[in-house]
Amino acid sequence: MDNKVGVKILSTGSFVPRKVLTNFDLEKIVETSDEWISTRTGIKERRVLDKGQTTSDLAYNAAMNAIEKAKIAVESIDMIIVATISPDVPMPSTACYLQKKLKAYGAVAFDISAACSGFLYGVATAKAFIKSGMYKRILLVGVEALSRIIDWTDRNTCILFGDGAGAMIFEASDTENDIVSTYLGASGEHTDILNIPAGGASVPASEETIKKKLHCIKMVGKEVFKIAVLKMSLSLNKVQELVGLTDRDISLYIPHQANLRIIEAVAKKAGITKEKVYVNVHKYGNMSAATTIVALDEAYQEGRFKKGDLVELIAFGAGLTWGACILRINF
Ligand code: COA
């Protein structure tokens, strides 16, 4: 599918809630320690939504940040895609709640559920819709309010996750092609090692499921760790091979920020120097669909790459899902 329509990236934006929850705060909630969390994950603190705030509020703030930077009118957006696994409610989509908050009534709106790979699935979806000629200006948001779907009595999971949102705006272009390469993968055979077991059609919410906290994230950490390293390494190389690029062409790698040990293992396997890998997991923990785009927005603000440089995003998440994309940052 390579017709003449290109995709220009107009801007990025991000937003994290003000409230900080440190490892020391967690020591008061579950039997854990700052030392254990720091050495096993690299996480020092994470952000948590205030009471009364919700997923679409985070999404709205990140979206407005990107819209203001792009200097576009909200009415000109013709598609809103929200990648999330912690929607405001199961139905309707968080994209529709975001549309209402933005008053972007000229847009179609829907959510993508691909967990931590959600933003990358969104980039590929936005590219396909623009290249097909169906839509011209797309707002993509990766957002999570994971603090609302965590079992705060389970030390295996509650130390890992955080809340936040990031946004990117794309538009059709005759001259630019900023989405240089995309690669996606999925394997449904591993649905049971990282999931939310209840609250859907197979196990509807009941007193029992609530008592057992089955509406919260469950994970077999060690298994997830191993497959994450494998699939992220595969994606990192594959997305370059697809367009004949190599490590020398990439200015900065932005891996999914789930665990510093995963990031370091992936970089080592690929032979990438530490300086080329962006890390902010110590500040935010794993924000699932929001991680790579929040990291990209922060790396941009910190001047970690120059205008026109190629940046590679790599992610992995529940499904299992994985993927990577190479973006030219030219704004
Ligand atoms: N604080 C203190 N001890 C903890 C703990 C915590 N928060 N969580 C688990 N432990 C304990 C375990 O109970 C276990 O004790 P035991 O040996 O007495 O049974 C011990 O620490 C080791 O646990 P283990 O699960 O083997 O640790 P690990 O080295 O595999 O690290 C993770 C656990 C979760 C940090 C790691 O597996 C991981 O990061 N996995 C990937 C998770 C992830 O990123 N998921 C999202 C992907 S998108």
Side-chain angles (χ1 to χ4, degrees), residues 32 36 40 116 155-156 219 221-222 225 256 258-259 286 316:
T32 191
W36 193 96
R40 301 281 174 132
C116 305
R155 68 177 183 173
N156 290 300
M219 183 178 65
K222 270 199 195 316
F225 193 106
H256 176 50
N259 181 321
N286 180 351
F316 172 86

Side-chain angles (χ1 to χ4, degrees), residues 70-92:
K71 298 190 177 67
I72 58 162
V74 167
E75 306 80 57
S76 68
I77 296 167
D78 56 13
M79 174 175 281
I80 298 171
I81 307 172
V82 171
T84 189
I85 47 144
S86 46
D88 280 8
V89 292
M91 182 191 84

